[in-house]
Amino acid sequence: MRLLLIEDEARLAEYLRKGLSEEGYTVDVAGDGIDGLHLAMELDYDLIILDAMLPGIDGFAVLAALRQSKSTPVLMLTARSDVEDRVRGLQSGADDYMIKPFAFSEIVARIQVQLRRVSAHQTAPEPTVLKAADLEVDLIRRKAVRAGVRLDLTVKEFNLLALLLRRQGEVLSRTELASKVWDMNFDSETNVVEVAVRRLRMKVDQPFPLPLIHTVRGIGYVLEERLPS
């Protein structure tokens, strides 16, 4: 799941980005309304966390512009507890509203509620259990099992495996993997993707006779079942 956080308080933005990343979300961050609106319009997000008071253009203006063409769920944040502000945000198209300061556990719970609502309205919701050969990944319980053996994966390894499974049979570039799993721009001098794939293979493929994760030289990686040649 990919989230957009539009928040100008740097410490709060980093706190939320780090915490939500540890929960398994990919988080893009914008520090003002102009950059935030650009990202929201250009990319597809599962949910947007939007501060009401922003430099450039405020959150209400961002929301109004966004609602002209997109229905992405929006959770608004504000330091003000005025009823008028909350009503204004909800009437402008916000799906939920939170007043600072708030508990991290509460914002996670509210994000999950909004994502469940979206999932419930989709005609073909994404499966919560992904499979390939004897590999099975449960996205809700965040559990990966191969041939009946539970795989001990880190958060990033699980997210990487889930992405490869979602796009099973499709070659994914290192750039795309870096962006969606690590929330970073790919740097040719950085081998974070290669290292992570190598570690993932040691857990997913090495103990089993049939490898599932394959390298496509010069492009990236693909997860698919290939019959032995």
Side-chain angles (χ1 to χ4, degrees), residues 6 33-34 37 41 50-68 76 88-89 92:
I6 309 175
I34 295 173
L37 179 58
M41 297 298 290
L50 174 63
D51 188 29
M53 303 305 294
L54 293 166
I57 55 176
D58 67 23
F60 299 108
V62 171
L63 182 58
L66 180 66
R67 283 293 177 253
Q68 292 181 16
M76 288 201 78
R88 180 185 175 191
S92 298

Side-chain angles (χ1 to χ4, degrees), residues 10-154:
R11 291 181 62 184
L12 176 59
E14 177 58 20
Y15 168 74
L16 289 175
R17 187 203 64 77
K18 182 177 179 182
L20 292 171
S21 296
E22 291 174 353
E23 290 291 323
Y25 298 104
T26 297
V27 185
D28 292 342
V29 179
D32 61 59
I34 295 173
D35 288 344
L37 179 58
H38 174 74
L39 285 173
M41 297 298 290
E42 291 296 318
L43 302 175
D44 290 326
Y45 292 97
D46 296 289
L47 181 138
I48 297 171
I49 304 169
L50 174 63
D51 188 29
M53 303 305 294
L54 293 166
I57 55 176
D58 67 23
F60 299 108
V62 171
L63 182 58
L66 180 66
R67 283 293 177 253
Q68 292 181 16
S69 59
K70 290 201 173 187
S71 57
T72 309
V74 173
L75 169 60
M76 288 201 78
L77 307 178
T78 182
R80 299 178 61 180
S81 60
D82 296 348
V83 173
E84 292 80 4
D85 268 6
R86 297 200 299 274
V87 171
R88 180 185 175 191
L90 294 170
Q91 288 181 339
S92 298
D95 297 273
D96 200 357
Y97 214 98
M98 290 193 68
I99 299 171
K100 302 176 185 177
F102 48 79
F104 179 73
S105 58
E106 182 180 1
I107 194 169
V108 170
R110 291 185 181 232
I111 288 170
Q112 291 172 342
V113 167
Q114 294 303 322
L115 294 177
R116 282 198 298 269
R117 286 178 179 172
V118 172
S119 179
H121 286 85
Q122 290 176 341
T123 55
E126 180 185 40
T128 59
V129 177
L130 306 175
K131 297 180 181 180
D134 55 356
L135 172 66
E136 184 173 299
V137 172
D138 188 323
L139 300 176
I140 301 299
R141 299 167 64 190
R142 296 189 67 79
K143 182 176 74 171
V145 174
R146 183 160 190 194
V149 179
R150 176 76 176 263
L151 306 180
D152 183 18
L153 304 178
T154 67

Side-chain angles (χ1 to χ4, degrees), residues 189-200:
E189 300 299 321
T190 301
N191 66 345
V192 62
V193 176
E194 288 85 349
V195 170
V197 171
R198 183 165 64 248
R199 289 176 177 171
L200 185 61

